[in-house]
Amino acid sequence: IFDCMGLEVRKSRRVLDRSAGEDDQGQYDAENAVFGISGACALFRASALQDVAEDGAFFDEDFFAYKEDVDLAWRMQILGHNVHIVPTATVWHERVAKSDAGGNWLTAWRARRGKSSVVNFYSTRNHGWLLMKNDDLVNVFFHTPWILPYEFAKGLGNIFSSGGWKAMGASAVKVGKMWKKRRALFARRKRTANEIRKWFV
């Protein structure tokens, strides 16, 4: 049973572990390009990591945990690096937070309520930073019909989840710092908004 065969980003900006929970029936036997790789198991060229590093750090140290791998993947895409799944590689990963296998928003909301306050805090806070740093405004415009309902539902969920309001406040505190990182990243971009948009499904 698969845990993750790459990161998948929906038009809503919900990030999923591609293939989570699926039985292995050979559907991923071919090497293929993906948006990014889970931080649980990834190999990178040293030159690529040096290229995308922020202040010498590969993972954004402000994130600490949760979605720092998505942030790294998004930076790699913006700066023109390709990412592939190698299906012959197998890794076992002990999870604290269950892998998101998709499903509807109600399922996601229920899953969030079952997670610890620590996981919910970092996941919610870092989601805001992730979008501030990496998302193209033109892509946000094209995907507004998907983003707005998801963010509205996510906000409602935060009202009832442990640490939700605190996480949103913590995200807002560093808007200026995230915007500064964004400007530095976009000044060196290699791929257009249109090229990035193909990854949103």
Side-chain angles (χ1 to χ4, degrees):
I1 297 174
F2 288 117
D3 178 73
C4 181
M5 289 295 284
L7 301 172
E8 178 180 287
V9 185
R10 298 283 173 88
K11 291 176 182 175
S12 64
R13 301 311 188 260
R14 182 180 176 197
V15 181
L16 306 174
D17 287 317
R18 179 171 163 260
S19 77
E22 291 182 25
D23 289 326
D24 184 356
Q25 298 178 350
Q27 66 270 46
Y28 299 106
D29 281 358
E31 181 177 330
N32 58 91
V34 291
F35 175 81
I37 303 291
S38 168
C41 174
L43 294 175
F44 299 105
R45 285 194 178 100
S47 58
L49 286 177
Q50 289 165 353
D51 183 43
V52 303
E54 296 174 328
D55 298 323
F58 310 132
F59 289 122
D60 187 327
E61 294 182 349
D62 284 312
F63 278 49
F64 173 64
Y66 296 100
K67 299 191 180 176
E68 77 285 355
D69 50 357
V70 185
D71 175 65
L72 177 61
W74 212 326
R75 278 185 275 136
M76 293 192 96
Q77 288 294 337
I78 290 170
L79 294 176
H81 297 281
N82 298 316
V83 183
H84 293 263
I85 282 288
V86 179
T88 52
T90 303
V91 172
W92 299 92
H93 177 217
E94 183 69 25
R95 282 189 178 270
V96 174
K98 186 179 178 183
S99 179
D100 193 340
N104 59 35
W105 295 352
L106 181 59
T107 304
W109 183 74
R110 286 176 177 157
R112 176 172 290 273
R113 285 181 59 81
K115 293 178 182 176
S116 74
S117 59
V118 173
V119 171
N120 278 331
F121 173 82
Y122 287 120
S123 180
T124 298
R125 183 196 68 178
N126 295 351
H127 174 75
W129 290 349
L130 179 71
L131 302 185
M132 287 179 219
K133 287 180 61 182
N134 302 292
D135 213 348
D136 283 279
L137 296 180
V138 65
N139 288 344
V140 171
F141 173 77
F142 280 120
H143 295 153
T144 295
W146 292 271
I147 294 172
L148 282 183
Y150 176 64
E151 291 299 331
F152 179 74
K154 195 176 180 75
L156 283 180
N158 283 327
I159 294 173
F160 300 103
S161 69
S162 54
W165 282 107
K166 183 179 177 182
M168 290 190 290
S171 186
V173 165
K174 290 193 176 180
V175 168
K177 187 173 184 180
M178 295 303 144
W179 200 255
K180 182 179 178 181
K181 291 181 182 183
R182 174 194 178 88
R183 286 199 308 268
L185 172 64
F186 276 57
R188 301 193 303 119
R189 74 177 307 159
K190 300 289 194 304
R191 288 187 176 141
T192 66
N194 185 55
E195 289 172 307
I196 301 296
R197 191 161 62 246
K198 74 174 185 178
W199 291 111
F200 302 133
V201 296

